[in-house]
Amino acid sequence: MKYLVTGAAGFIGSNLSAKLADAKNSVLGLDNFSSYYSPQLKRMRCIELLQPRNIEVVEIDLANLDKVQGIVLDFQPDVIIHLAAQPGVRTPLSNSFQYIENNLSAFGNILQSAVQNKVPGFLYASSSSVYGNSTEAPFKESNTSIRPISIYGATKLANEILVPPFVSRSATRARGMRFFTVYGPWGRPDMAYFRIINSLLDGSRFNKFGDGNVRRDFTYIDDITSGIEKLSLELASHAEGYSDVVNIGGGNPHSLNDLIEVISSKLGKNLKTSVINSHPNDTSLTCADVSTLVNLIGISPKVTLEEGINKTIEWAQKVEIQSRLKDWISSTN
Ligand code: NAD
């Protein structure tokens, strides 16, 4: 199969591209190496995960429709997996155009290109942020009264709303995947687990937002990449014009305090914290109902927080990684 993966230099995109190539698929990556966090980390993922598998990453901004159309026309993928986006919920208002440009304009461009070029499968990253402060946990895809509380979450829900009218009379099948706090080796330096590991390794203070009782449905990267691969194969069994949305989450939320405890006990150290006010865009709980996922592909995420954190710490302690963690963290908010 021919896969076009956008955001291929990103955390999920690089790990997914490597997995798809290992399964003997042909993979072409796209990324603009955005400066939201260290482009050097993104280039290092390409060197370590993609180049050894002969995966090319074309440097392009998906906000440019002509270039996106050209690549889709030339490559003729069987499946597009669209992961490129401005991630995170804490980007300040003055930079909120990043959400509009990368999560709405760029999204529209790749979606239009997929449909116009009759690409059979289009899968895209959505987020647990679409659920906002939903009180009905676990969160179900069938809940249509959800209200995102961040601009990021709103753009992801807007993507989901845009897709059915684009694909319903086309040759394309589409699937939105709502990811829940993905973590693991080669992860994102704006995320709490990444910063906690670094603080414990180098003794620096961790800025803890709020009392640590917010709970997240942490999902290990390998569970996400296996889920995406299986969901892309399952999507092909549906009729042209079909679209749906599916949660991919662990189904077992842990608090920030639990996360700190798991990482601290693995490293045998106490974390120094500075407590700051919780961020207004942070929801208090995310928790996936995974019954749709299980119905579609027969499995749900299995890696426990302890197992996933142990693998992440092993990666972070490699000399060439540990020596760069601080720079990667200071490259972002
Ligand atoms: P990431 O930032 O590591 O990867 C996204 C990549 O997209 C980056 O390499 C960036 O340079 C690229 N990109 C951004 N805008 C682009 C544009 N206009 N043109 C081309 N490339 C562009 O993020 P990630 O954690 O790998 O997330 C992947 C997707 O999953 C995103 O859509 C994100 O919103 C979604 N998601 C992630 C999580 C998580 O916990 N990691 C949770 C929910 C949803």
Side-chain angles (χ1 to χ4, degrees):
M1 292 249 283
K2 283 167 81 175
Y3 281 91
L4 182 65
V5 177
T6 76
F11 168 39
I12 301 174
S14 55
N15 281 282
L16 174 71
S17 298
K19 183 176 180 65
L20 294 173
D22 288 347
K24 306 278 179 262
N25 296 292
S26 158
V27 182
L28 177 65
L30 306 180
D31 207 291
N32 71 348
F33 295 85
S34 93
S35 58
Y36 168 62
Y37 66 80
S38 168
Q40 191 267 336
L41 166 56
K42 297 177 184 182
R43 298 210 183 270
M44 198 162 163
R45 292 186 187 122
C46 293
I47 292 167
E48 297 293 326
L49 299 176
L50 306 185
Q51 283 176 13
R53 295 172 170 91
N54 291 320
I55 300 170
E56 186 192 353
V57 178
V58 179
E59 190 161 347
I60 92 157
D61 192 329
L62 299 173
N64 183 325
L65 177 60
D66 288 345
K67 285 194 178 162
V68 177
Q69 291 272 35
I71 284 178
V72 175
L73 191 63
D74 280 356
F75 186 59
Q76 296 279 327
D78 299 303
V79 180
I80 294 177
I81 301 193
H82 175 57
L83 303 172
Q86 169 60 48
V89 297
R90 294 185 187 150
T91 297
L93 185 64
S94 55
N95 271 338
S96 48
F97 70 93
Q98 297 283 3
Y99 291 123
I100 305 301
E101 195 166 292
N102 300 306
N103 302 5
L104 296 179
S105 298
F107 183 86
N109 290 346
I110 189 82
L111 175 58
Q112 180 182 324
S113 304
V115 170
Q116 274 188 330
N117 290 290
K118 300 184 169 43
V119 175
F122 177 79
L123 293 95
Y124 62 97
S126 186
S127 166
S128 58
S129 298
V130 299
Y131 290 104
N133 269 327
S134 177
T135 48
E136 287 179 33
F139 301 163
K140 289 188 169 63
E141 301 89 342
S142 55
N143 184 347
T144 51
S145 57
I146 51 178
R147 311 277 301 186
I149 62 166
S150 61
I151 298 171
Y152 168 75
T155 60
K156 292 289 183 181
L157 188 56
N159 292 169
E160 295 182 6
I161 294 168
L162 270 173
V163 165
F166 258 99
V167 302
S168 61
R169 288 179 296 281
S170 81
T172 300
R173 302 141 184 89
R175 173 162 283 162
M177 301 172 293
R178 292 177 177 169
F179 301 145
F180 285 67
T181 315
V182 189
Y183 71 99
W186 296 106
R188 281 195 358 232
D190 59 332
M191 294 183 72
Y193 73 90
F194 198 107
R195 290 168 177 244
I196 295 167
I197 292 173
N198 177 63
S199 289
L200 284 163
L201 289 175
D202 78 358
S204 59
R205 258 176 210 285
F206 169 68
N207 281 337
K208 181 174 162 187
F209 286 88
D211 60 9
N213 288 324
V214 291
R215 287 185 296 149
R216 292 286 173 269
D217 204 348
F218 293 99
T219 317
Y220 187 62
I221 183 68
D222 291 358
D223 281 330
I224 288 286
T225 56
S226 322
I228 298 174
E229 186 187 19
K230 288 190 166 56
L231 285 170
S232 77
L233 297 173
E234 198 282 338
L235 184 61
S237 68
H238 294 269
E240 294 180 351
Y242 171 87
S243 63
D244 66 10
V245 169
V246 54
N247 291 334
I248 313 189
N252 183 19
H254 291 273
S255 69
L256 176 60
N257 289 332
D258 291 342
L259 178 69
I260 292 173
E261 173 56 32
V262 167
I263 302 175
S264 305
S265 65
K266 173 69 184 168
L267 287 170
K269 293 180 181 175
N270 284 326
L271 182 67
K272 289 187 263 174
T273 56
S274 299
V275 177
I276 47 186
N277 285 342
S278 51
H279 195 284
N281 289 350
D282 278 335
T283 57
S284 49
L285 167 71
T286 67
C287 178
D289 179 304
V290 288
S291 45
T292 306
L293 183 69
V294 173
N295 282 340
L296 289 171
I297 61 172
I299 56 162
S300 61
K302 286 286 167 292
V303 179
T304 65
L305 187 62
E306 286 77 8
E307 289 164 352
I309 285 297
N310 287 352
K311 289 184 185 173
T312 311
I313 290 174
E314 264 171 42
W315 167 79
Q317 284 184 311
K318 290 181 182 173
V319 179
E320 69 277 18
I321 302 298
Q322 193 171 334
S323 59
R324 292 178 165 94
L325 292 176
K326 200 181 171 67
D327 284 350
W328 291 342
I329 287 171
S330 55
S331 71
T332 187
N333 289 326

